Amino acid sequence: MALRLTQRLLQTQTPFLTRGYPLLVTKEKTEDVAHTKSTLHKKVTGTDIPSAQYGGRHGVTMLPGGGIGPELMTYVREIFRYCGAPIDFEVIDIDPSTEGNDDLEYAITSIKRNGVALKGNIETKSQSLAEVSRNVAIRNELDLYVNVVHCKSYPGIPARHQNVDVVLIRQNTDGEYAMLEHESVRGVVESMKVVTVENAERVARYAFEYARQNNRKKVTTIHKANIMKLSDGLFLEVANRVHKDYPELEHNNMIIDNTCMQAVSNPHQFDVMNMTNLYGTIVSNVICGLIGGAGLLSGRNYGDHYAIFEPGTRNTGTAIAGKNIANPVAMINASIDMLNHLGHKEHANVIYDATYQTIVKDAIRTPDLGGNHSSTDVVENILKILSAKRVNW
Ligand code: ATP
């Protein structure tokens, strides 16, 4: 229902979405290999048709987005070229300042064709109701109902907490992002937060299934059901019900404000978290901030048919664009997730090892990680490590 409501809104505001292809995603393809080297996603979604390959290569949509996105994508392409990753990128620039939505329509069509995208954040410049966030529109249109951010500390990286290992699982398409707002009478604005049994169940099941497949022990559902008794109450009720299918796992719940305090004071108490859309973005920013900031971790967006990989905190980084100081690691990690998802494990592993060695052992770090190196220093070190390994392939 949430999706349809959002789509109705999008139809009103962006009529292109009804042209050319059906609004509701039909069951068709994908290979949804899990982000965890297991077949979790396939198990959760029940899909097993592999994505199209051309001569053993995968086509992937690349959406550089704004701010630091384009420079980060250049680094990813250079690394892929260097290690011969069998990926052909279809690059689509979405400029939010241009009139109309042709570029967005083209991007969505491309992702539907390729099944997979690597994405930077697309800035939403206008406060006008007529301009919907392109990021939200893409997630909704592709029904990417779950977002996964694995917050795992890198040893030795300066951070407020070490040895954190929490998996954040977030409802990604409705909740507070339904984009249904109106001014009922002058001076009174109402905003709808949409929670549905269907989407609450899909994300809860994903969280419990993830925990089971990865030998995690506990799922914590985050809510504010003491105030939002119907909406968050439903989200919590569904999680409690789904938990009955996973009796070996512990399930507790925590109110969002307390969660932020607990995350800052003792993030080690969390294992897997199950959250609505807005609480998910707040908690991921808090925990990413605790263990290294916006430039380090990646995020995965999954639906039954498509997957998008991006930096975990979804920042545009406009203020640091073009200065050669943006940390490239979050986007490189997103590209590693994408390679894993497509089954290119060797390439994923070799890039992961080179990146890990660069920031952990060689301590080549950008200023956000307390270093004094440039973005290109980090990338060049990764390329140097890759070139030494190339002879052994
Ligand atoms: P805007 O869309 O206006 O850029 P935002 O709310 O999306 O703003 P950002 O400013 O993009 O947030 O990012 C938040 C903070 O994280 C900023 O201080 C930014 O410099 C920093 N940041 C984001 N990405 C990176 C990165 N890859 N490396 C280093 N710092 C980063």
Side-chain angles (χ1 to χ4, degrees):
M1 177 199 152
L3 181 66
R4 281 166 210 231
L5 283 172
T6 310
Q7 284 167 342
R8 208 176 312 133
L9 183 85
L10 289 171
Q11 281 177 51
T12 321
Q13 296 174 343
T14 54
F16 78 92
L17 285 171
T18 56
R19 292 204 318 263
Y21 48 84
L23 268 172
L24 283 177
V25 173
T26 49
K27 276 231 174 253
E28 44 180 42
K29 52 157 267 107
T30 198
E31 168 199 6
D32 274 319
V33 182
H35 38 89
T36 55
K37 301 184 185 171
S38 74
T39 51
L40 164 64
H41 194 73
K42 191 186 286 183
K43 187 169 165 45
V44 171
T45 62
T47 54
D48 57 1
I49 302 171
S51 52
Q53 285 194 50
Y54 306 93
R57 301 179 67 82
H58 277 102
V60 169
T61 305
M62 175 180 270
L63 306 176
I68 55 175
E71 59 201 81
L72 300 183
M73 293 303 191
T74 306
Y75 304 142
V76 168
R77 294 175 81 178
E78 188 63 5
I79 290 168
F80 277 30
R81 192 181 66 78
Y82 223 73
C83 71
I87 301 294
D88 294 315
F89 285 113
E90 186 178 354
V91 183
I92 299 173
D93 288 309
I94 297 182
D95 180 356
S97 58
T98 53
E99 286 232 340
N101 285 303
D102 287 353
D103 46 2
L104 180 57
E105 181 179 12
Y106 179 40
I108 290 171
T109 306
S110 165
I111 300 169
K112 287 188 173 181
R113 185 171 55 244
N114 292 320
V116 176
L118 184 66
K119 178 178 171 301
N121 202 44
I122 305 159
E123 226 172 335
T124 308
K125 289 193 167 142
S126 162
Q127 291 300 317
S128 158
L129 261 189
E131 193 194 308
V132 293
S133 158
R134 261 75 161 173
N135 304 294
V136 176
I138 290 171
R139 290 195 290 270
N140 285 359
E141 180 66 13
L142 299 174
D143 191 22
L144 300 175
Y145 61 86
V146 67
N147 173 255
V148 183
V149 179
H150 185 178
C151 295
K152 188 167 180 358
S153 299
Y154 281 87
I157 296 282
R160 287 176 204 277
H161 289 283
Q162 297 292 334
N163 300 317
V164 173
D165 185 0
V166 188
V167 180
L168 310 178
I169 296 189
R170 160 185 176 190
Q171 208 295 321
N172 209 24
T173 48
D174 57 16
E176 305 83 351
Y177 284 57
M179 300 191 295
L180 294 170
E181 293 185 308
H182 63 272
E183 192 171 28
S184 44
V185 292
R186 197 154 174 73
V188 180
V189 170
E190 293 176 332
S191 176
M192 279 179 78
K193 166 172 177 165
V194 179
V195 176
T196 63
V197 170
E198 184 191 0
N199 279 338
E201 173 150 359
R202 290 201 292 179
V203 72
R205 200 159 288 287
Y206 198 98
F208 283 108
E209 198 59 49
Y210 184 103
R212 175 179 278 173
Q213 296 282 319
N214 292 280
N215 296 320
R216 297 264 169 175
K217 304 283 174 263
K218 183 171 78 174
V219 174
T220 305
T221 294
I222 310 304
H223 64 94
K224 188 77 182 170
N226 54 335
I227 303 297
M228 283 165 268
K229 293 174 195 276
L230 285 182
S231 52
D232 281 18
L234 180 61
F235 191 81
L236 180 58
E237 182 190 316
V238 169
N240 283 331
R241 176 165 57 75
V242 172
H243 175 231
K244 294 200 170 73
D245 295 336
Y246 300 84
E248 78 280 14
L249 296 172
E250 187 188 335
H251 179 225
N252 66 346
N253 67 79
M254 197 176 278
I255 291 175
I256 176 63
D257 30 2
N258 184 31
T259 303
C260 292
M261 186 171 63
Q262 295 295 328
V264 170
S265 55
N266 177 20
H268 305 100
Q269 68 186 284
F270 296 111
D271 192 352
V272 175
M273 294 165 105
N274 169 39
M275 295 174 280
T276 64
N277 210 339
L278 183 64
Y279 306 154
T281 190
I282 293 169
V283 173
S284 17
N285 273 261
V286 169
I287 299 187
C288 286
L290 288 174
I291 67 172
L296 208 50
L297 303 171
S298 56
R300 288 95 85 160
N301 304 280
Y302 296 112
D304 288 349
H305 308 282
Y306 311 107
I308 294 185
F309 302 90
E310 63 186 343
T313 51
R314 296 175 175 168
N315 296 114
T316 318
T318 310
I320 57 170
K323 296 185 174 163
N324 199 12
I325 55 169
N327 189 345
V329 173
M331 190 64 87
I332 295 170
N333 277 335
S335 75
I336 293 168
D337 292 342
M338 183 201 79
L339 287 170
N340 270 320
H341 175 81
L342 291 171
H344 300 299
K345 308 284 179 200
E346 295 82 2
H347 292 90
N349 289 343
V350 86
I351 297 171
Y352 178 81
D353 289 347
T355 308
Y356 187 92
Q357 181 179 329
T358 296
I359 60 168
V360 173
K361 296 192 188 136
D362 301 345
I364 310 282
R365 300 173 189 154
T366 43
D368 57 302
L369 297 183
N372 57 7
H373 293 276
S374 65
S375 321
T376 45
D377 290 339
V378 175
V379 175
E380 276 164 17
N381 200 70
I382 292 171
L383 297 180
K384 194 174 83 187
I385 297 165
L386 288 175
S387 78
K389 285 190 176 169
R390 243 187 340 191
V391 290
N392 299 322
W393 282 12

